[in-house]
Amino acid sequence: MNPQCVWLSHLHIRHHEHVQGGKTRITFSNGKSLEVCISHHSFINQLHRTAQLRTKMNERIEARERKMMYLLYLREKEWS
């Protein structure tokens, strides 16, 4: 395991800010803060990519659910 590689939950990040030395301070929804060795610009880019991934995943899940509901509707219609 690499201690330099961390994963943070997008949902629990309340605030983030630039810190001297090319670091970023992240404040979580529970009020705790963490300084990470990544530039604020790079952190924002990663946060945006995470948001895009979450959006795509949610779109796919919703599309699958709609398809399942439609198939159930067709099956019920056949039985009627």
Side-chain angles (χ1 to χ4, degrees):
M1 182 166 32
N2 183 351
Q4 298 298 320
C5 181
V6 296
W7 289 79
L8 305 173
S9 175
H10 181 261
L11 295 175
H12 296 287
I13 295 172
R14 183 189 310 162
H15 180 73
H16 49 84
E17 62 187 343
H18 168 76
V19 178
Q20 286 289 64
K23 296 181 180 181
T24 301
R25 179 178 299 119
I26 303 161
T27 305
F28 298 97
S29 56
N30 66 359
K32 293 186 179 185
S33 294
L34 173 69
E35 275 189 23
V36 291
C37 295
I38 184 174
S39 73
H40 191 242
H41 178 74
S42 292
F43 178 78
I44 290 172
N45 283 339
Q46 289 184 9
L47 205 57
H48 287 165
R49 284 196 301 263
T50 302
Q52 287 175 325
L53 176 62
R54 286 180 48 84
T55 299
K56 282 292 180 193
M57 284 178 54
N58 286 338
E59 287 173 356
R60 290 180 182 175
I61 289 168
E62 289 171 7
R64 185 175 179 183
E65 288 174 353
R66 282 191 305 270
K67 183 178 179 180
M68 292 301 294
M69 292 302 292
Y70 180 69
L71 292 173
L72 287 173
Y73 167 77
L74 289 179
R75 178 175 273 178
E76 285 180 10
K77 195 172 179 180
E78 283 177 2
W79 289 350
S80 303

